[in-house]
C-alpha cells in the first residue's frame, strides 16, 4: 500500500512539474484528489485493508494528499507570478509616446475684448456694474429721455415681453438704476448683452453686447469726456491713436458726439481696413442730459456727467480684424481657436 501511495505521489508531482498552465494543474488536481481521483480511490478501498492497519494507511493517504496539495499550490503561485511578469513586460509603458491631451478651451474674442476694456476703465477708477437683461420700459426708455412715440421705441427695434417689459435694447438702463441709488460721485461701466429685433447679417445680430460708461460728479465737463475717451482709445489701439469727435444726437446726452479713432492699420493714411478714410468709428458719447439727471433724482445744477457706449463686438471685430460679426456666434472651434 505504501508503495502504491508513493508511486501515486511521484506521478502526481511529475505531472504538476510538467504543467505549463493553471488549467493543467487543475486537471492534475481532479485526476488525483477529485471525487473519482486516484487518491480518493485508495481511501475508498480502505475496507479491504486490515482493521488495525487502517489508521496508519489513512495517515499515509493524508500525508500524500497534503504533499500533492502543497506542490499544486506552490506551482500555481509560481505560474501566476510568471504570467503577471510576462503581462507587465508586454504592457510596458512607453514614456516617449505623447500623452493624450485634454482639450482645454479658451476665452471667446468677445470675452478677451471685454476684459481688455474692463482693465482700462478699472485702471481709471471705474466700477463694473451689471443689470437685468429683461428690463422695464421705464428704465430702458423713459428715464433715458426716450418718451412714448420716439422712433427708438418702435416695435421694429424692440422685443417686447409685455407692454411695460422689454428685452433691454441698450445697457443704459443700468446707468439709470445706479443714478437712482443716489450714491455720488459715479464712475462706472456697464457691460452686457442687449437685444434688438434686427435681421442677422455681417454687422447685425438680434443679440449683441454693449459697454456703457457713466461718470457723474461736480464740475465734470466735456473736456473730461474727451480726455477719458482719448486715453481709452490709446490704451486699446496703441499710443499713436488719435480721436475725432463728430457732433451727433442721442436722446439721453446733450451735447452728443460720435467718436472716430485714427485707423490703427494705416495710421490715418487711408487703407482698405478704414475704407480709405483713415478713421474708424468706435463709439457714441455725450454729456448726460439734465433731464435724465433730474428723472433719476440728481440735481443738474449741482452735478454734471458724461456717458458713452461702445459695441463690444465692434471692438472685437476691429481688434482681431474679423470682417463678419456672425463668425463670433457660430461657435466654430476652428475660428475661435485663432484668438
Ligand atoms: Zn486705414
Amino acid at each position: 500500500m505504501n508503495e502504491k501511495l508513493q508511486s501515486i505521489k511521484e506521478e502526481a508531482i511529475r505531472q504538476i512539474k510538467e504543467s505549463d498552465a493553471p488549467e493543467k494543474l487543475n486537471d492534475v488536481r481532479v485526476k488525483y484528489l477529485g471525487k473519482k481521483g486516484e487518491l480518493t480511490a485508495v481511501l475508498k478501498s480502505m475496507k479491504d485493508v486490515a482493521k488495525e492497519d487502517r489508521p496508519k494507511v489513512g495517515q499515509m493517504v493524508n500525508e500524500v494528499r497534503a504533499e500533492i496539495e502543497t506542490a499544486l499550490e506552490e506551482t500555481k503561485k509560481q505560474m501566476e507570478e510568471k504570467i503577471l511578469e510576462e503581462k507587465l513586460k508586454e504592457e510596458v509603458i512607453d514614456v516617449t509616446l505623447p500623452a493624450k491631451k485634454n482639450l482645454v478651451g479658451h476665452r471667446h474674442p468677445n470675452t478677451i475684448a471685454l476684459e481688455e476694456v474692463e482693465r482700462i476703465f478699472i485702471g481709471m477708477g471705474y466700477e463694473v456694474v451689471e443689470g437685468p437683461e429683461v428690463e422695464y420700459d421705464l428704465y430702458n426708455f423713459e428715464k433715458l429721455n426716450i418718451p412714448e412715440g420716439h422712433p427708438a421705441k418702435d416695435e421694429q427695434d424692440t422685443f417686447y415681453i409685455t407692454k411695460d417689459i422689454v428685452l433691454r435694447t441698450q445697457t443704459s438702463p443700468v446707468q439709470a438704476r445706479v443714478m437712482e441709488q443716489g450714491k455720488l460721485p459715479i464712475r462706472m461701466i456697464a457691460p452686457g448683452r442687449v437685444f434688438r429685433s434686427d435681421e442677422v447679417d455681417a454687422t447685425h445680430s438680434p443679440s449683441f453686447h454693449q459697454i456703457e460708461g457713466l461718470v457723474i460728479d461736480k464740475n465734470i465737463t466735456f473736456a473730461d469726456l474727451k480726455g477719458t475717451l482719448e486715453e481709452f482709445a490709446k490704451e486699446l489701439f496703441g499710443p499713436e491713436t488719435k480721436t475725432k469727435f463728430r457732433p451727433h444726437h442721442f436722446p439721453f446726452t446733450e451735447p452728443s458726439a460720435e467718436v472716430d479713432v485714427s485707423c490703427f492699420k494705416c495710421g490715418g493714411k487711408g487703407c482698405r481696413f478704414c475704407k480709405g478714410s483713415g478713421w474708424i468709428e468706435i463709439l457714441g458719447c455725450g454729456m448726460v442730459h439734465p433731464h435724465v439727471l433730474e428723472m433719476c433724482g440728481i440735481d443738474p445744477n449741482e452735478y454734471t456727467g458724461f456717458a458713452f457706449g461702445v459695441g463690444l463686438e465692434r471692438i472685437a471685430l476691429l481688434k482681431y480684424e474679423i470682417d463678419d460679426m456672425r463668425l463670433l456666434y457660430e461657435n466654430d472651434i476652428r475660428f475661435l481657436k485663432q484668438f
Side-chain angles (χ1 to χ4, degrees):
M1 181 56 88
N2 190 21
E3 247 170 58
K4 195 182 176 193
L5 282 173
Q6 287 309 313
S7 82
I8 288 175
K9 186 178 87 179
E10 276 161 25
E11 184 56 20
I13 286 175
R14 192 185 60 79
Q15 286 184 15
I16 288 167
K17 281 182 179 160
E18 278 175 3
S19 298
D20 55 4
E23 299 79 51
K24 285 188 182 163
L25 281 182
N26 204 44
D27 292 344
V28 177
R29 181 190 296 277
V30 171
K31 188 177 173 193
Y32 292 95
L33 309 180
K35 265 185 191 171
K36 289 174 184 169
E38 287 185 24
L39 206 61
T40 317
V42 174
L43 277 178
K44 278 179 184 164
S45 66
M46 285 282 265
K47 58 182 187 298
D48 303 331
V49 176
K51 219 174 183 179
E52 60 272 24
D53 292 336
R54 282 181 195 170
K56 205 185 165 202
V57 175
Q59 198 192 343
M60 284 195 300
V61 171
N62 282 342
E63 277 169 12
V64 170
R65 186 182 182 87
E67 279 182 67
I68 294 173
E69 272 178 347
T70 306
L72 279 169
E73 274 313 303
E74 278 176 1
T75 311
K76 195 180 164 205
K77 216 175 139 191
Q78 284 165 10
M79 247 179 222
E80 281 170 350
E81 278 170 9
K82 211 176 153 194
I83 288 169
L84 182 66
E85 206 172 287
E86 273 166 14
K87 208 174 163 196
L88 285 174
K89 257 187 212 159
E90 272 172 30
E91 294 179 359
V92 69
I93 297 163
D94 183 352
V95 292
T96 65
L97 272 178
K100 264 191 200 162
K101 272 185 195 158
N102 281 332
L103 214 66
V104 179
H106 68 97
R107 295 173 304 164
H108 189 278
N110 269 357
T111 311
I112 303 172
L114 175 60
E115 286 179 1
E116 177 70 0
V117 173
E118 285 184 346
R119 184 191 64 75
I120 295 167
F121 281 105
I122 288 168
M124 291 196 266
Y126 285 60
E127 226 185 314
V128 179
V129 186
E130 288 183 345
E133 291 178 1
V134 180
E135 185 57 279
Y136 290 105
D137 178 279
L138 178 70
Y139 287 100
N140 196 78
F141 295 119
E142 295 285 326
K143 281 187 183 267
L144 299 169
N145 223 12
I146 306 171
E148 203 59 50
H150 193 283
K153 285 194 74 172
D154 195 301
E155 271 178 282
Q156 267 189 355
D157 302 322
T158 311
F159 290 112
Y160 277 89
I161 306 278
T162 67
K163 190 176 156 289
D164 302 320
I165 297 172
V166 301
L167 292 182
R168 66 178 179 189
T169 58
Q170 46 195 354
T171 46
S172 318
V174 185
Q175 301 182 357
R177 285 174 174 273
V178 172
M179 282 191 277
E180 253 189 4
Q181 289 169 8
K183 283 183 210 143
L184 296 162
I186 296 167
R187 272 178 195 78
M188 59 164 271
I189 54 168
R193 194 192 302 270
V194 300
F195 308 86
R196 308 248 176 116
S197 82
D198 279 328
E199 292 293 327
V200 175
D201 65 24
T203 52
H204 293 87
S205 160
S207 158
F208 56 102
H209 298 78
Q210 279 189 341
I211 308 165
E212 300 232 351
L214 176 72
V215 172
I216 308 274
D217 203 349
K218 287 173 178 165
N219 305 316
I220 295 289
T221 69
F222 203 89
D224 298 307
L225 168 60
K226 284 190 78 174
T228 302
L229 293 181
E230 273 171 21
E231 184 58 31
F232 167 63
K234 283 186 171 135
E235 289 256 1
L236 193 62
F237 296 114
E240 307 302 320
T241 310
K242 294 187 189 72
T243 43
K244 184 168 81 175
F245 288 70
R246 283 181 288 105
H248 198 76
H249 173 263
F250 297 112
F252 29 83
T253 47
E254 180 61 35
S256 306
E258 277 195 325
V259 180
D260 297 345
V261 292
S262 56
C263 175
F264 47 87
K265 282 291 264 186
C266 63
K269 285 191 218 76
C271 68
R272 261 182 61 222
F273 198 68
C274 55
K275 297 186 184 84
S277 72
W279 296 94
I280 296 167
E281 184 194 322
I282 60 156
L283 56 79
C285 64
M287 299 304 290
V288 180
H289 199 294
H291 191 219
V292 170
L293 290 177
E294 257 171 12
M295 279 190 291
C296 295
I298 296 169
D299 181 357
N301 295 313
E302 200 181 345
Y303 285 94
T304 50
F306 63 78
F308 53 88
V310 54
L312 177 61
E313 281 80 0
R314 177 117 184 97
I315 303 250
L317 298 183
L318 285 173
K319 251 187 117 56
Y320 303 111
E321 297 177 27
I322 303 163
D323 55 11
D324 193 327
M325 187 163 153
R326 286 168 289 196
L327 291 166
L328 293 173
Y329 302 118
E330 279 170 356
N331 283 340
D332 186 332
I333 201 140
R334 291 166 302 177
F335 168 77
L336 294 173
K337 252 161 65 178
Q338 301 170 51
F339 304 96

